[in-house]
C-alpha cells in the first residue's frame, strides 16, 4: 500500500507529520472500475478479432464499411487496453503501465465518441461516455490518490 505524507501545522512553531492512506472505498472503487474496463475492452477486442467481418458488420455497421485491417487493429488496441488496465496493477510489475493504459483507454473513448457522432450514431455513445468516465477515474486514482506500489524483488 502506498501512503502519502501531509504536513499539518499544529502551532506557530511546530509541524507534525502524519501518514494519510487512501480510503478503502476509493481503493475498492478503483479495482472495480479496472475490472469492468478490462472485461469490456478484452471482450470487445476478442469479438472484433475473432468474428468474421460480415457477422461483425451486422452487430457494428461501421465494421463492414472499413478495411478488415482497420477493424482487427482496433481489436488489438482494445485488447491491449483491457490487459494494460488490470495486469500491471494485479502483478505489481510496472504498475505505472496501468496509468498509461487508463490514459490510452480515455483517448480511445474520446476518438470513439467523435467517430460515432460524426456517423450519426449518437445512440451508441452512452457506453463510450461511461467507459471514458471509468478510464478517467482510474487515471486520476492510480496516478495520484491510490497508486499501486511496484513489487520489490
Amino acid at each position: 500500500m502506498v501512503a502519502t505524507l501531509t504536513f499539518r501545522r499544529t502551532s506557530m512553531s511546530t509541524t507534525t507529520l502524519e501518514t494519510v492512506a487512501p480510503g478503502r472505498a476509493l481503493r475498492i472503487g478503483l479495482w472495480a472500475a479496472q475490472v469492468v474496463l478490462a472485461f469490456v475492452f478484452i471482450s470487445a477486442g476478442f469479438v472484433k478479432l475473432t468474428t468474421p467481418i460480415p457477422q461483425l458488420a451486422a452487430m457494428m455497421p461501421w465494421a463492414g464499411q472499413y478495411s478488415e485491417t482497420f477493424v482487427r487493429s482496433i481489436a488489438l488496441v482494445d485488447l491491449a487496453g483491457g490487459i494494460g488496465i488490470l495486469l500491471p496493477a494485479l502483478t505489481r510489475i510496472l504498475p505505472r503501465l496501468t496509468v498509461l493504459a487508463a490514459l490510452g483507454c480515455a483517448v480511445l473513448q474520446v476518438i470513439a465518441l467523435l467517430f460515432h457522432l460524426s456517423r450519426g450514431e449518437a445512440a451508441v455513445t452512452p457506453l463510450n461516455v461511461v467507459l471514458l468516465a471509468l478510464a478517467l477515474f482510474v487515471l486520476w486514482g492510480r496516478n495520484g490518490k491510490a497508486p499501486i506500489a511496484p513489487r520489490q524483488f
Side-chain angles (χ1 to χ4, degrees):
M1 179 188 303
V2 175
T4 57
L5 299 176
T6 58
F7 293 96
R8 179 182 291 167
R9 290 197 70 111
T10 55
S11 68
M12 295 294 277
S13 61
T14 1
T15 302
T16 60
L17 186 63
E18 68 182 48
T19 302
V20 178
R24 180 181 169 106
L26 176 61
R27 291 190 320 271
I28 291 171
L30 285 166
W31 279 114
Q34 286 173 252
V35 167
V36 168
L37 285 168
F39 177 78
V40 170
F41 278 98
I42 290 170
S43 298
F46 184 75
V47 166
K48 290 173 192 163
L49 196 60
T50 60
T51 306
I53 295 297
Q55 290 176 347
L56 193 59
M59 294 184 284
M60 305 172 199
W62 66 267
Q65 299 166 358
Y66 291 89
S67 72
E68 183 173 359
T69 302
F70 178 76
V71 175
R72 305 303 187 201
S73 297
I74 296 298
L76 294 175
V77 170
D78 286 345
L79 284 171
I83 292 167
I85 204 95
L86 193 57
L87 191 61
L90 277 176
T91 63
R92 292 181 41 216
I93 298 172
L94 298 174
R96 191 82 180 132
L97 292 177
T98 292
V99 174
L100 295 176
L103 176 61
C105 289
V107 169
L108 181 63
Q109 290 312 301
V110 169
I111 293 169
L113 273 166
L114 295 173
F115 176 79
H116 289 301
L117 289 173
S118 73
R119 292 176 43 84
E121 300 170 342
V124 300
T125 60
L127 177 62
N128 298 117
V129 171
V130 169
L131 294 174
L132 174 61
L134 288 172
L136 290 173
F137 174 61
V138 172
L139 177 62
W140 168 81
R142 292 300 183 206
N143 191 42
K145 291 293 183 181
I148 303 287
R151 179 177 293 194
Q152 301 297 318
F153 291 100

